């Protein structure tokens, strides 16, 4: 009898044929990493090869499917370069001069020349098989016929792990960074061809997920988030913070470049400050995550210096986000990882344990260690030479015996404080750039400390003796109550109107955002609700983010009106109500509009028209448009910065404020 109750909805997709993805013994990407992984899964009994309940059979992607991402001419070139005799001719120069030149040019033109991704015999077949694996995995989780048939909906896989997948550098018309066909891009494209869906791709590999990002750079149905070692030092050099997408896809590419030697704590902080709010504001139907474990400190190619604790935090967060926001739909792919024996098998066994809700044993099975340690020792000498050549310190000369890492093997970096600070700045900038302010305030970053005791203190209304103000207004759809400084107990009693979903896409999630805002000690929440208790509009006042560090009285104003209650003048009335207190004359208030944050879906108007509406709305409260060189605001003509300087604000502070607007601190950094 199976004593693992949750396994039936978690599948591992692996086919022996995938081991043919082999660039030779000297290449850093070794199929041995998958053999060692499968061996560890079996010997540790985390996965049983004869148990059909935890397997997902795969097939190769067809040419038609590959063509959803790759050009026909590229696929043909890959097929030509896959034939062993042709490659031998190319390598050994035994053919005629002409054949040689043609094959060499073909290889160079499509990314198989000198360097990372040499052409290998049979590479079309094996690359198509790996691509098919991810395609079948995503189809199974999304209920497409390609994913297989299941007796009942309860048996359909909820989570699938495809370790050979994650060839994220492959481009439409070029092989790159050990990657021939882009399995994740093809799988997503196939899904979107079949049905409307919103797909979130999270790339934890140490390298930027450039291929997947490029495939969907202008597509708002796919959000790509990549955490990686900054492209200043590492292949492929892209993944800058300002790569946010293009056209309709603007705001749907998120890049989190981290410093070399980031280590676990700073990595986890960056991840936790950005991923949950990004996921809530995108509201995906499914998550695909790339678990490249080349982030590990023992990896010979990179420098992020994580341990398996940091890597496990990635897996746990992806799993939790899938259950919180996607009804559990989750596909995990392997990706990079070049310490083939010490890191990859442990990291991805841990991933399988996470996916299938199994407890990870403390120790690695002795027989597995006995089998793989000698292989590692044999290669370690060569490995060490490579590491020294790449500027890495020689690795710890020990083979692990536990699943998790031992702290003592990973001494702290000397520049930890500086590196952490630099990563925190990147995160603060990205939060402002990518997150609508309501979401940002509802998910405060762990670093952020309010510049002052809070607006409640300033307005002298903290405490129960000064309850919310209440005002009744008439609207074409009936009377509404306006209240400011709403406490959490009030927000809990109210319910969101069905059209209140501008930032979290669903009214119940929007309600959760408002509750978070009400609980936040430095935010002031004003609401408009019906006498029956339905929330139809909100205005939030909150301290400006890190960009305004050094200013005590700069506050950000945000507003939202339910899509069922628009064009009734409610926005004007609630804004007027929220901003009429005399104490606000001591403050500089600003409202920032980034066009990709705006909820224009139901309005059927352009962002430029929306910009005009916002300018007019805030203009009625004496806000003026201000020019700024802050790149996230000035990078797009649809964006806007509106400011109201209170009558009592000191002129020196105003001057400092204006200087800050034109100081481009982030441009100087990037
Ligand atoms: Zn990588
Ligand atoms: Zn689960």
């Amino acid at each position: 009898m199976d004593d693992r109750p949750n396994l039936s909805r978690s599948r591992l997709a692996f086919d022996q044929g995938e081991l043919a993805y082999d660039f030779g013994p000297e290449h850093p990407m070794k199929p041995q990493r998958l053999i060692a992984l499968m061996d560890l899964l079996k010997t540790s009994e985390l996965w049983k090869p004869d148990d059909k309940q935890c397997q997902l059979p795969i097939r190769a992607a067809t040419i038609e499917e590959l063509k959803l991402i790759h050009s026909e001419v590229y696929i043909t070139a890959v097929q030509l370069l896959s034939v062993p005799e042709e490659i031998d001719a190319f390598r050994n120069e035994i053919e005629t001069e002409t054949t040689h030149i043609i094959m060499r040019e073909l290889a160079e033109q499509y990314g198989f020349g000198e360097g990372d991704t040499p052409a290998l015999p049979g590479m079309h077949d094996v690359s198509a098989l790996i691509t098919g694996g991810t395609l079948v995995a995503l189809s199974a989780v999304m209920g497409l016929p390609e994913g297989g048939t299941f007796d009942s909906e309860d048996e359909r896989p909820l989570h699938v792990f495809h370790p050979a997948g994650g060839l994220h550098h492959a481009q439409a018309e070029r092989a790159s960074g050990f990657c021939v066909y882009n399995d994740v891009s093809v799988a997503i494209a196939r899904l979107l061809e079949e049905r409307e869906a919103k797909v979130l791709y999270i790339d934890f590999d140490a390298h930027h997920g450039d291929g997947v990002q490029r495939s969907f750079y202008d597509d708002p149905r796919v959000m790509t988030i990549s955490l990686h070692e900054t492209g200043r030092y590492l292949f492929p050099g892209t993944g800058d913070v300002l790569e946010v997408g293009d056209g309709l896809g603007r705001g749907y590419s998120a890049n989190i470049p981290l410093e070399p030697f980031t280590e676990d704590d700073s990595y986890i902080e960056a991840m936790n400050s950005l991923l949950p709010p990004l996921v809530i504001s995108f509201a995906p139907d499914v998550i695909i995550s790339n678990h490249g474990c080349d982030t590990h400190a023992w990896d010979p190619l990179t420098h992020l210096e994580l341990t398996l604790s940091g890597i496990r935090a990635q897996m746990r967060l992806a799993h939790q986000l899938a259950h919180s926001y996607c009804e559990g739909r989750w596909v995990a792919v392997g990706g990079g990882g070049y310490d083939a024996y010490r890191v990859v098998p442990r990291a991805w066994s841990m991933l399988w344990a996470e996916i299938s809700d199994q407890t990870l044993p403390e120790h690695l099975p002795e027989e597995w260690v006995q089998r793989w340690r000698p292989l590692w020792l044999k290669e370690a000498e060569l490995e060490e030479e490579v590491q020294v050549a790449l500027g890495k310190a020689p690795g710890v000369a020990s083979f692990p015996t536990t699943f998790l890492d031992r702290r003592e093997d990973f001494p702290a970096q000397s520049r930890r404080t500086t590196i952490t600070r630099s990563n925190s700045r990147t995160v603060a900038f990205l939060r402002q750039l990518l997150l609508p302010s309501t979401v940002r305030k509802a998910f405060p970053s762990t670093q952020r400390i309010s510049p002052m005791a809070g607006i409640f203190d300033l307005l002298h209304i903290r405490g129960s003796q000064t309850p919310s103000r209440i005002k009744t207004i008439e609207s074409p759809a009936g009377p509404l109550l306006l209240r400011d400084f709403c406490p959490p107990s009030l927000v809990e009693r109210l319910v969101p109107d069905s059209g209140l979903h501008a930032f979290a896409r669903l009214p119940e999630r929007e309600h959760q955002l408002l509750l978070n805002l009400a609980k936040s000690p430095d935010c002031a929440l004003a609401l408009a609700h019906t006498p029956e208790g339905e929330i139809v509009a909100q205005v939030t006042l909150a301290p400006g983010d890190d960009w305004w560090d050094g200013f005590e009285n700069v506050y950000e104003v945000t507003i939202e009106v339910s899509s069922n209650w628009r064009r009734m003048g409610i926005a004007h009335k609630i804004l007027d109500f929220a901003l009429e207190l005399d104490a606000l004359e001591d403050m500089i208030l600003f409202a920032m509009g980034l066009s990709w944050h705006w909820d224009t879906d139901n309005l059927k108007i352009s962002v430029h028209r929306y910009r005009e509406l916002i300018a007019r709305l805030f203009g009625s409260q004496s806000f003026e448009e201000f020019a700024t060189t802050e790149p996230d605001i000035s990078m797009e003509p649809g964006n806007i910065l509106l400011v109201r300087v209170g009558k009592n604000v000191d002129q020196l502070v105003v001057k400092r404020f204006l200087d800050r607007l034109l100081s481009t601190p982030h441009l100087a950094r990037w």
Side-chain angles (χ1 to χ4, degrees), residues 398-510:
S398 69
F399 196 84
T401 55
T402 50
F403 270 94
L404 276 166
D405 288 316
R406 298 181 312 168
R407 271 263 153 227
E408 58 265 36
D409 289 336
F410 304 89
Q413 300 293 332
S414 55
R415 292 175 53 244
R416 183 179 272 184
T417 315
T418 317
I419 290 163
T420 300
R421 197 178 305 132
S422 178
N423 284 336
S424 298
R425 275 202 303 267
T426 303
V427 168
F429 176 63
L430 281 168
R431 283 172 55 86
Q432 184 156 310
L433 180 66
L434 297 169
L435 298 170
S437 47
T438 299
V439 175
R440 209 185 322 131
K441 305 302 182 197
F443 284 83
S445 103
T446 41
Q447 273 290 296
R448 181 69 192 164
I449 299 154
S450 176
M452 60 191 301
I455 191 165
F456 291 94
D457 282 346
L458 185 84
L459 299 177
H460 308 293
I461 63 160
R462 178 175 290 240
S464 54
Q465 68 273 35
T466 38
S468 306
R469 290 184 301 141
I470 303 177
K471 182 176 173 181
T472 308
I473 57 165
E474 287 303 323
S475 86
L480 288 175
L481 278 78
L482 303 181
R483 294 173 187 248
D484 62 0
F485 299 98
C486 296
S489 57
L490 172 68
V491 179
E492 262 167 7
R493 283 202 306 279
L494 300 172
V495 293
D497 177 79
S498 68
L500 199 80
H501 47 59
F503 303 112
R505 312 295 162 192
L506 293 170
E508 55 275 24
R509 288 185 194 164
E510 202 80 355

Side-chain angles (χ1 to χ4, degrees), residues 598-639:
W598 294 344
D599 173 37
T600 52
D601 294 356
N602 303 317
L603 283 173
K604 309 265 181 278
I605 57 174
S606 71
V607 290
H608 297 282
R609 175 90 182 98
Y610 196 68
R611 185 187 193 281
E612 270 177 51
L613 288 175
I614 289 178
R616 204 179 310 149
L617 172 65
F618 280 87
S620 71
Q621 294 296 322
S622 311
F623 281 72
E624 287 173 53
E625 233 181 287
F626 272 65
T628 174
T629 47
E630 163 68 351
D632 58 339
I633 298 166
S634 55
M635 71 199 282
E636 159 68 43
N639 296 345

Side-chain angles (χ1 to χ4, degrees), residues 159 319 323 355 357:
H159 312 325
H319 193 184
H323 280 289
I355 284 175
D357 286 318

